[in-house]
Amino acid sequence: MKTSLLLAPLLALALAPVATATTAVPAVPPSPLDPVPATPAPPPISTVRGLWVDAFGPGLKTREQVARVVEDAAALGVNTLFVQAVRRGDCLCLRSTLPPITDRDFEKNFDPLTIVTRLAHARGMRVIAWVSVTGAMNARVPNTDPRHLVRQHGPSAGAASWMNRRPDGSWLEGADGWLDPAIPAAAEHMVAAVVSLVKNYPVDGVQLDRIRYPDGGAWGYDPKTLSRYRAETGTKGTPVPTDARWQAWKREQVTALVRRISLEVKAVRPSAWVTAATITYGPPPAPGDLAAFRRTRTYQDVLQDWPTWMREGLLDLNVLMNYKRDAVGEQGEWLDGWNAFAASVRGSAEVAGGTALYLNPPAVTAAQASRTVEAGLGWVGYSYRTPTLDVYSTRQTSAQGLSAVRAALTAPGSVLATPVPWNTQPPTVRGLLGRVVGSATPGGHLVEALRDGRVIARTTTDGGGHYGFLNLPPGPVEVRVSGQRWTETIPETGVVRPPNLLIRDVPLVPAASAKP
């Protein structure tokens, strides 16, 4: 009887007349009270939640310090540590092309990069090896290892010097000396240092810091650099710092260094992340306004063109050094504006906003992190050693500051209140890396990549004759440079290396003047 009662409504429904053209069921208009379906939120640009750990004080110099860093980071709830590996031509490691640091408080026979990767991976965190790429030396606390670059290529090495110099030959910025990315041997040294970390350690990627010229614009005046500039451009004399062609040429040297590092890293391990800590000086451009970006100090002064780095696949993740103080003038708006601009020109790269813990009280840090994440970006805080303004001002211990900022960042609704994984794979996983030889002027040659007779990408050779492309579509591609042609197949994953192309010395064609 119970079965019959249950079946009765179903039988009635089955026997009911079906609507046809003559018995159409009128549509019921939506009621104004019906809820409007919500538009799904776009996926975030990045879910990285990171913490920079610098090497200018305690944190990475003993086993006990490294263990404490990892435990504190896990308690904070970050998913990534950006750990300083290369500082000023030296390494907080024992298996790179650079000598280790020689600080007196550095534990003997200790390899921080080995231990921090092991401990952080065990806690589910990624480790990015942070590299001060052009950092060469500090005059106040020089590295004392006889293998350090300053012994053979420092400021007193004459023609063998790799130092970045002003027009008067001076080389110090504060107490620091910088390497000149336009000196081919110096660039080779910097590339090898970064790549050695990926070869010898299970890091999840590298971060390029100081991948630029020093502040002030009047740099790059080593005689070797000037000679190379004249040879590649046909110009005479010594350019003034504001010469637009000189600035553009130096800017390309920085971009070429990023390109070469990225290709060499991907050749070793395509899954490794290539990231950079980039400059955001002053007021931001409007979203998408590249012309306004080219008027910023980032582009004009320190000669970083990070929108191009993202667009060409040279970076997998761009971490803005968006160091602003909300309480000072329009800096809070600047922070939001730089985030919006970077998101608008990112190509396929991920973007994270890096904020200055050391310039702000914890409540402001939490607010800046929330605004950054709400804009769809990842977030990274600088730094573990100085987590609050009070710590930076020596009014608070590091432990007290870390406790205060943890309370603010893990409060309900804050960015670290709920653990968020960062498990995406890098967007750039393939490329082509080649070299031209046989020319007295190997740099500045236009290189084109063609498919089906159509140019799909262009670049120029660097000072060592190297060239390359990242993230070209898989399949056959023809490379053309100075009358030479070569066909290669771009793989789905990995970096292909054509043979060296022998070229003749012919007048260089500046890339800017080439037409498709």
Side-chain angles (χ1 to χ4, degrees):
M1 187 67 180
K2 184 180 292 185
T3 302
S4 300
L5 288 172
L6 289 171
L7 290 175
L10 297 176
L11 290 172
L13 180 63
L15 296 174
V18 178
T20 66
T22 55
T23 60
V25 177
V28 178
S31 166
L33 299 179
D34 289 343
V36 178
T39 302
I45 293 168
S46 179
T47 59
V48 64
R49 304 287 187 268
L51 185 65
W52 274 297
V53 185
D54 70 64
F56 295 103
L60 297 171
K61 296 181 182 180
T62 69
R63 287 171 172 81
E64 182 180 357
Q65 289 176 12
V66 169
R68 172 51 52 197
V69 165
V70 174
E71 288 304 309
D72 287 341
L76 186 60
V78 296
N79 55 34
T80 306
L81 290 177
F82 292 80
V83 175
Q84 187 155 33
V86 176
R87 192 174 59 182
R88 303 182 187 102
D90 49 16
C91 192
L92 282 94
C93 69
L94 301 180
R95 291 181 287 126
S96 78
T97 59
L98 303 175
I101 65 171
T102 55
D103 300 28
R104 281 181 288 183
D105 56 346
F106 184 47
E107 185 175 330
K108 188 176 180 180
N109 299 321
F110 173 50
D111 193 326
L113 200 52
T114 291
I115 302 303
V116 75
T117 50
R118 180 188 303 160
L119 296 179
H121 286 167
R123 300 301 297 265
M125 287 179 277
R126 283 177 166 173
V127 175
I128 304 296
W130 157 22
V131 178
S132 178
V133 181
T134 58
M137 62 173 292
N138 183 277
R140 297 195 190 103
V141 283
N143 185 292
T144 59
D145 193 302
R147 298 168 294 173
H148 192 270
L149 70 90
V150 76
R151 304 294 181 274
Q152 299 295 324
H153 305 288
S156 302
S161 175
W162 292 346
M163 307 304 292
N164 213 327
R165 296 180 184 272
R166 296 185 182 89
D168 63 1
S170 60
W171 54 273
L172 278 175
E173 189 208 30
D176 284 347
W178 295 52
L179 297 175
D180 187 341
I183 298 175
E188 198 70 30
H189 171 88
M190 291 182 265
V191 171
V194 177
V195 175
S196 69
L197 300 177
V198 180
K199 285 182 177 178
N200 297 322
Y201 293 91
V203 294
D204 298 284
V206 294
Q207 179 164 82
L208 312 181
D209 187 21
R210 287 201 177 185
I211 186 71
R212 60 183 180 94
Y213 278 79
D215 290 355
W219 294 92
Y221 286 87
D222 180 273
K224 297 183 295 298
T225 298
L226 290 169
S227 177
R228 192 183 144 213
Y229 171 69
R230 295 176 190 123
E232 292 183 13
T233 62
T235 57
K236 308 292 184 183
T238 299
V240 297
T242 55
D243 183 297
R245 189 175 188 182
W246 171 233
Q247 288 180 323
W249 185 86
K250 290 190 294 179
R251 190 179 302 112
E252 175 54 31
Q253 307 315 304
V254 179
T255 295
L257 182 57
V258 177
R259 182 183 296 113
R260 174 84 187 287
I261 290 173
S262 188
L263 282 161
E264 295 285 6
V265 166
K266 299 294 179 178
V268 173
R269 197 192 317 154
S271 62
W273 286 79
V274 176
T275 83
T278 58
I279 298 296
T280 61
Y281 287 158
D289 192 345
L290 288 171
F293 174 78
R294 295 183 185 116
R295 294 190 294 270
T296 65
R297 283 188 59 204
T298 301
Y299 190 84
Q300 294 281 350
D301 185 357
V302 300
L303 306 179
Q304 275 192 349
D305 186 9
W306 50 255
T308 291
W309 303 351
M310 293 194 291
R311 186 179 67 250
E312 293 188 1
L314 313 189
L315 294 184
D316 298 309
L317 168 67
N318 181 10
V319 183
L320 310 175
M321 291 189 288
N322 212 353
Y323 299 168
K324 309 294 188 289
R325 293 167 287 181
D326 283 4
V328 177
E330 299 176 332
Q331 289 190 22
E333 296 175 13
W334 291 359
L335 181 141
D336 300 334
W338 277 110
N339 285 343
F341 173 76
S344 74
V345 296
R346 70 185 184 91
S348 62
E350 293 192 12
V351 180
T355 65
L357 311 185
Y358 74 100
L359 292 179
N360 293 289
V364 174
T365 287
Q368 290 184 341
S370 292
R371 300 203 311 269
T372 300
V373 169
E374 288 165 5
L377 279 61
W379 173 80
V380 184
Y382 185 88
S383 71
Y384 170 81
R385 186 172 58 89
T386 51
T388 68
L389 175 60
D390 281 347
V391 173
Y392 186 64
S393 304
T394 67
R395 295 188 296 266
Q396 193 178 48
T397 67
S398 289
Q400 290 169 334
L402 194 61
S403 177
V405 82
R406 180 171 59 243
L409 288 169
T410 60
S414 293
V415 297
L416 300 180
T418 304
V420 176
W422 182 47
N423 49 24
T424 54
Q425 294 303 302
T428 296
V429 295
R430 60 180 172 270
L432 178 147
L433 174 59
R435 189 179 188 184
V436 301
V437 295
S439 172
T441 308
H445 292 270
L446 173 67
V447 186
E448 295 179 322
L450 297 89
R451 180 163 293 166
D452 300 324
R454 183 175 63 86
V455 176
I456 59 173
R458 287 193 177 93
T459 189
T460 54
T461 56
D462 69 10
H466 303 279
Y467 64 88
F469 304 95
L470 287 129
N471 263 8
L472 293 178
V477 65
E478 182 184 60
V479 175
R480 294 182 185 177
V481 53
S482 297
Q484 286 280 30
R485 300 184 180 192
W486 188 266
T487 299
E488 279 287 357
T489 299
I490 304 297
E492 289 283 348
T493 302
V495 174
V496 64
R497 293 180 188 261
N500 291 345
L501 298 179
L502 181 64
I503 64 173
R504 297 167 296 177
D505 279 321
V506 295
L508 295 173
V509 179
S513 66
K515 302 295 183 184

